[in-house]
Amino acid sequence: MKYKGIIFDLDGVVCFTDQYHYQAWKKMADRIGVYFDEKINNRLRGVSRMESLEIILERSTREYSEEEKKELAAEKNELYRELLGSMTPADLSGEVKETLDRLREGGAKLAIGSSSKNAKMILSRIGLEGYFDAVSDGTNISRSKPDPEVFLKAAEFLGLEPEECLVVEDAKAGIDAACAGGFDSAGLGEAAQYERTTYPLNSFSDLWVCCQE
Ligand code: BG6
Ligand code: MG
């Protein structure tokens, strides 16, 4: 194996919670009368909850106080967690699980590197609680992607150096974070089209190929 560790983003990589983020923000934005669409939503990938809200409010005609912003973020998070509540292990695709198992059998240590404060709840809903060798998420960082902190912490938790690890991402902000931390990266979705991505992937199972010597 070319890498001793593989660090996976969660939302939009291991599972498709990115659609629930969109639905929850959309409901909140519609309620306050602020225009929001899937294109704007792409800018929120990998970005923290409060920074995501700031991006949505760029379209607002009025100012919101810090207190009001906290309430809006809490409203979105409640809607989001309601949607997460419907997830089951059936929401983890066979392709993802088989590829994770194969990489682990090949000798790689596996970690999560996610900006989300809901990461542990999601892992538990899809039956991956306790599966990863390390989980670095929104609860152990002070700066969100494109800052490399979440991936540097994941590598540290695995006891590995950045150059020994591969980061797997669907967001440009996540690829920028990987580059800033000195990691190679593999990209899905919009991250596969991004020139800074080391290995563009067509599907999750392609990971096996780029991890070979
Ligand atoms: C990232 C998502 O994984 O987590 C972002 O890509 C999201 O869209 C961020 O804003 C924070 O998530 P949460 O669950 O803490 O609101
Ligand atoms: Mg993502």
Side-chain angles (χ1 to χ4, degrees):
M1 292 279 273
K2 194 164 175 185
Y3 299 96
K4 289 186 180 166
I6 308 177
I7 304 170
F8 297 88
D9 171 52
L10 183 62
D11 298 320
V13 169
V14 171
C15 54
F16 299 104
T17 36
D18 47 337
Q19 58 180 329
Y20 298 140
H21 277 296
Y22 174 67
Q23 287 170 28
W25 281 127
K26 176 78 180 141
K27 207 163 177 181
M28 186 226 75
D30 284 352
R31 188 187 66 72
I32 61 171
V34 172
Y35 179 78
F36 181 58
D37 63 17
E38 303 230 16
K39 193 160 173 249
I40 302 171
N41 186 61
N42 276 336
R43 291 175 57 206
L44 314 185
R45 290 180 188 272
V47 172
S48 75
R49 196 179 307 162
M50 291 312 286
E51 286 165 321
S52 296
L53 178 64
E54 293 294 347
I55 292 171
I56 292 170
L57 293 181
E58 283 171 10
R59 296 267 186 154
S60 169
T61 47
R62 61 160 276 203
E63 291 291 318
Y64 287 85
S65 68
E66 285 313 307
E67 202 44 48
E68 286 173 316
K69 286 180 189 171
K70 273 190 201 150
E71 282 166 18
L72 290 176
E75 174 184 338
K76 180 265 175 177
N77 195 45
E78 206 168 300
L79 292 165
Y80 178 60
R81 285 174 70 95
E82 239 173 75
L83 294 166
L84 294 182
S86 69
M87 289 183 92
T88 70
D91 288 295
L92 175 65
S93 85
E95 181 192 359
V96 169
K97 184 62 169 56
E98 281 152 29
T99 307
L100 289 172
D101 288 345
R102 201 169 174 203
L103 292 166
R104 162 160 292 162
E105 281 156 23
K109 285 190 184 173
L110 309 180
I112 290 290
S114 164
S115 305
S116 175
K117 293 187 169 140
N118 292 299
K120 293 189 182 80
M121 174 192 181
I122 295 166
L123 290 172
S124 141
R125 301 264 3 147
I126 61 176
L128 287 182
E129 190 175 13
Y131 178 87
F132 289 90
D133 299 296
V135 175
S136 171
D137 64 20
T139 64
N140 63 258
I141 54 169
S142 51
R143 295 175 303 278
S144 167
K145 301 167 189 175
D147 190 283
E149 186 180 9
V150 74
F151 295 139
L152 291 172
K153 278 270 178 258
E156 186 188 318
F157 294 161
L158 291 177
L160 296 171
E161 295 299 323
E163 52 275 18
E164 298 176 303
C165 300
L166 178 72
V167 162
V168 189
E169 263 292 347
D170 70 318
K172 285 184 179 174
I175 298 292
D176 287 338
C179 291
F183 297 86
D184 280 355
S185 61
L188 286 158
E190 73 159 18
Q193 319 292 325
Y194 190 34
E195 66 276 6
R196 300 193 79 190
T197 301
T198 319
Y199 308 103
L201 305 179
N202 284 319
S203 71
F204 194 92
S205 57
D206 289 349
L207 258 184
W208 177 253
V209 179
C210 60
C211 286
Q212 302 309 301
E213 284 290 0

